[in-house]
Amino acid sequence: MKLTLISFFLSTLLYFSGPMVGTRQFVSENLANLDTTLITIPFNVKFGLVSEAYINEKKPKIDSFYHKFINSPYYSGSFLVAKNGRIIYEDYRGFSNAKTGKKIDANTAIHLASVSKVLTATAILKLVQDDNIMLDQKVTDWIPKFPYKNTTIRTLLNHRSGLPHYSNFPGIMKKAWNRKKVLTNKDILDLMIKQKFKPVFADNTRFDYCNTNYVILALVIERATGQNFRDAMQTLIFKPLGMKNTFVFNYETDRDTVCKSYRGSNIFPWDQYDNLHGDKNIYSTPRDLVKFDLATYSSDFIKPELLQEAYYGYSAAKVAKPIKDYGLGMRMRFLPPNGEKMVYHNGWWHGNNTSFIPVKKDTVTVICLGNKYSNRPYATLSMVSSLFYQKKTEIETPVPTELEMKE
């Protein structure tokens, strides 16, 4: 008993004294069980303490921004800002199910929409790291019947494949399209094989953001792991990082239990694209996404050189002063006056609007997940550029109130 108390005292003294640059994050994991504002991961990763001066400087500014530009009577969702895993600001509003009165809280998993692509891309990079697949490998190596012979894993990741958009398939097929069928990833692949849709452009000649790319990447992950996408994501990312509230949506079993998606007071109905994975359909919480971001600082989770591939811009290399670009599952903006690069990813699906912004230079994570149709979560980009970069930016205009109220 004495030894336990002494160990606890020494651990506490170490944690709260002086700078901790170079101290392993997992040393403080037991303390994190007592400190609900500290998020940790079971990987070797080094951070310093977050000073009270830093928190006192940032927190009032974050609070002012949040209440002025995001929080409103029509906003519903979760918002979190953390540095080095230390939660600086956190708030939860609205309902995951308005009918039952179930409120959104820290454990409420919300549909990430296209922020799911960040996690899908990371799963691919983990497989590259394990020498399971190669970035410049042809998709046909994994899916022999895939009809676009020049497409590579890399051009799927960076949206330079020229693949047709699956949302355009109904218009192309017209009367032959079955609007009642709920599609799977395999259905999308089978349609591409059978119909041989014309590509939008030749592989790797330009950028075109296309959800089809990530539907195919999910199939590659399945072929490479021998697991379905749902289990593969648990194996590669969610379980190792302790992301206990994160999962890939199961259309057959999860529809009645997941956080609802709203426009006004109406629930968005399910449609035929709600059983597709890779491009969307991952549910998570801000705290779990902080765990994911923390892991990107650990070479035990992912090698720095692979992470740099994700943050390298593939579409604006020849532009003298680019404004936007896309890496491997990550968007980026170049901010004036010095062209600083801010990486991020937004998402939209039905009533879900999401924003994930890892401020890599400052080891800060900013997350806003909404489940009620509004572009307010996207204003977090303006907050980040103003508080953590040199750019003094205009706030992106929120959705007009009359549209938020529209039934």
Side-chain angles (χ1 to χ4, degrees), residues 137-204:
Q137 190 172 19
K138 297 290 179 64
V139 174
T140 51
D141 288 349
W142 291 102
I143 309 173
K145 292 184 179 180
F146 188 68
Y148 307 94
K149 304 303 181 183
N150 294 323
T151 305
T152 66
I153 304 298
R154 191 189 299 271
T155 58
L156 291 179
L157 286 166
N158 62 23
H159 295 287
R160 294 180 62 86
S161 69
L163 293 188
H165 296 237
Y166 65 67
S167 58
N168 291 337
F169 290 1
I172 298 171
M173 294 177 63
K174 298 180 180 178
K175 291 183 179 181
W177 181 258
N178 182 357
R179 296 185 179 276
K180 294 182 179 181
K181 182 177 176 62
V182 177
L183 300 165
T184 66
N185 291 43
K186 184 178 182 301
D187 291 326
I188 295 297
L189 174 63
D190 289 344
L191 283 166
M192 297 173 83
I193 293 171
K194 182 179 179 179
Q195 301 294 330
K196 293 181 173 55
F197 300 113
K198 184 179 178 181
V200 179
F201 50 81
D203 182 79
N204 204 28

Side-chain angles (χ1 to χ4, degrees), residues 7-33:
S7 298
F8 176 77
F9 175 77
L10 290 175
S11 297
T12 305
L13 183 63
L14 174 65
Y15 180 72
F16 285 102
S17 63
M20 289 182 63
V21 177
T23 301
R24 292 180 177 180
Q25 180 74 15
F26 65 75
V27 169
S28 302
E29 194 163 3
N30 288 333
L31 289 174
N33 294 329

Side-chain angles (χ1 to χ4, degrees), residues 45 116 120 165 171 217 272 356 359 382:
V45 57
S116 301
T120 302
H165 296 237
L217 284 169
Q272 65 182 146
F356 170 70
V359 186
S382 297

Side-chain angles (χ1 to χ4, degrees), residues 20-164:
M20 289 182 63
V21 177
T23 301
R24 292 180 177 180
Q25 180 74 15
F26 65 75
V27 169
S28 302
E29 194 163 3
N30 288 333
L31 289 174
N33 294 329
L34 303 175
D35 184 355
T36 59
T37 67
L38 180 65
I39 299 171
T40 63
I41 57 170
F43 279 87
N44 181 5
V45 57
K46 301 175 183 180
F47 293 119
L49 281 175
V50 181
S51 69
E52 289 299 317
Y54 182 93
I55 295 172
N56 292 337
E57 176 201 353
K58 298 295 185 183
K59 189 172 182 178
K61 295 177 182 178
I62 295 168
D63 182 73
S64 175
F65 172 89
Y66 174 72
H67 285 290
K68 187 174 182 179
F69 296 106
I70 295 180
N71 188 27
S72 82
Y74 312 106
Y75 166 74
S76 175
S78 50
F79 178 81
L80 187 148
V81 180
K83 177 176 173 60
N84 296 359
R86 168 73 63 185
I87 297 173
I88 298 174
Y89 193 92
E90 184 177 32
D91 193 60
Y92 301 91
R93 298 290 169 120
F95 296 92
S96 64
N97 189 324
K99 185 177 181 180
T100 64
K102 186 177 181 181
K103 294 183 177 181
I104 291 173
D105 60 27
N107 296 315
T108 302
I110 294 176
H111 194 302
L112 296 183
S114 281
V115 172
S116 301
K117 292 182 175 70
V118 179
L119 298 170
T120 302
T122 303
I124 288 287
L125 293 177
K126 290 281 288 179
L127 292 171
V128 171
Q129 181 169 274
D130 293 339
D131 293 324
N132 196 325
I133 65 175
M134 296 177 289
L135 278 175
D136 294 309
Q137 190 172 19
K138 297 290 179 64
V139 174
T140 51
D141 288 349
W142 291 102
I143 309 173
K145 292 184 179 180
F146 188 68
Y148 307 94
K149 304 303 181 183
N150 294 323
T151 305
T152 66
I153 304 298
R154 191 189 299 271
T155 58
L156 291 179
L157 286 166
N158 62 23
H159 295 287
R160 294 180 62 86
S161 69
L163 293 188

Side-chain angles (χ1 to χ4, degrees), residues 209-247:
Y209 186 88
C210 175
N211 287 321
T212 311
N213 292 310
Y214 279 72
V215 167
I216 301 302
L217 284 169
L219 291 173
V220 171
I221 289 171
E222 292 185 339
R223 301 288 176 94
T225 62
Q227 297 178 294
N228 64 49
F229 182 70
R230 190 174 299 109
D231 292 339
M233 294 301 290
Q234 287 287 343
T235 300
L236 292 167
I237 299 177
F238 306 156
K239 285 183 179 179
L241 298 182
M243 298 171 68
K244 295 180 180 179
N245 292 310
T246 303
F247 58 92

